[in-house]
Amino acid sequence: MAKSKRRRKKRRNIKIGRLLLVMSIPVFMLYGLFSAVGWVFDLLHEPAQLPQSEQQQQSLVEAGYQNACSTEDLAKLTRFGIDVSQFQKAIDWQTLKEAQVEYAFIRVGARGYVTGEIYEDETFVANLNGAKSVGMDVGIYFFSQAVTEQEVIEEADYVLSKLQGMPLELPIVYDFELPADPEARGHNLSNEELILQAQRFLEHIEQNGYKGMLYANPQLYPIYESAGLTERWPIWYAEYETESPQYCDLDIWQYSDTGEIPGIDDHHVDLNLMRTDFQAQ
């Protein structure tokens, strides 16, 4: 009787084992199928790269900057990034990451040249979320057309309200640019007004726990420099169609406003070289 029970138990175990084996076959087949699909996808998917023309320009301006501004610090001029706004429309951030874009400055909003009204950049939220989703370092800029100290504080408060304390890897940038249109509200600002407004914006940003940065170009840099602003705050400097900028003591050089890179299909984009490690500060 005991032997008979053992035989029945053994046969039952064999049946269960065979059943489990049969049931596992589809699982292994599915696993193999998905593995094969993933392997084929990896084989066919080549990481995005900068066009050769952009690679060549980047090498030229980096070498030119090194030669024109021969300091040891410039050995750190290796970080490549962009700045974006609603003009670039929909952006493929994963493709940008694959193309070795390391950071992005994202426009949060602007004040109108003529109306003076503040408005949010249409793609601010999408760009902020997209850049952060791929692990890209992010900074923020506001395009100012303030004409009074009160307005520039209003702009800084607007930026802070949009961020709600969100941590950033890179600074918040005050971006005022002198309008060419004589009808624009900021056309006739004095140097003293330009200096005061930049100072007030950045001080207000820093009082609220963020790093500030000053955007400049060949017109504005000497104005800010005359008041010591270029030593007090990091400088993001725009100068195009040259292999080296006029000034050397820069944290970021925006060397092109006509960049073409994978991930941005509908518009040119600004290209930048950064030589400052803001997270180490």
Side-chain angles (χ1 to χ4, degrees), residues 4 19-20 47 65 78 80 83 114 127 162 193 197 202 208 210 212 216 226 249 257:
S4 177
L19 179 62
L20 290 174
Y65 196 11
T78 56
F80 172 69
D83 53 278
V114 179
N127 285 338
K162 292 299 179 183
E193 288 170 318
Q197 289 175 190
L202 294 172
N208 284 272
Y210 287 98
S226 69
D249 192 18
D257 63 347

Side-chain angles (χ1 to χ4, degrees), residues 125-137:
V125 174
N127 285 338
L128 183 64
N129 292 337
K132 284 189 169 292
S133 72
V134 298
M136 199 174 289
D137 287 350

Side-chain angles (χ1 to χ4, degrees), residues 148-198:
T148 66
E149 185 176 345
Q150 181 181 359
E151 285 189 351
V152 85
I153 295 298
E154 180 187 16
E155 292 174 352
D157 280 335
Y158 177 84
V159 175
L160 294 168
S161 73
K162 292 299 179 183
L163 291 175
Q164 292 291 312
M166 177 184 294
L168 298 173
E169 296 78 23
L170 303 175
I172 295 174
V173 183
Y174 176 71
D175 175 14
F176 182 94
E177 299 176 33
L178 291 167
D181 185 353
E183 300 299 320
R185 61 204 308 272
H187 184 71
N188 293 315
L189 287 176
S190 67
N191 289 357
E192 290 74 19
E193 288 170 318
L194 293 170
I195 291 166
L196 180 63
Q197 289 175 190

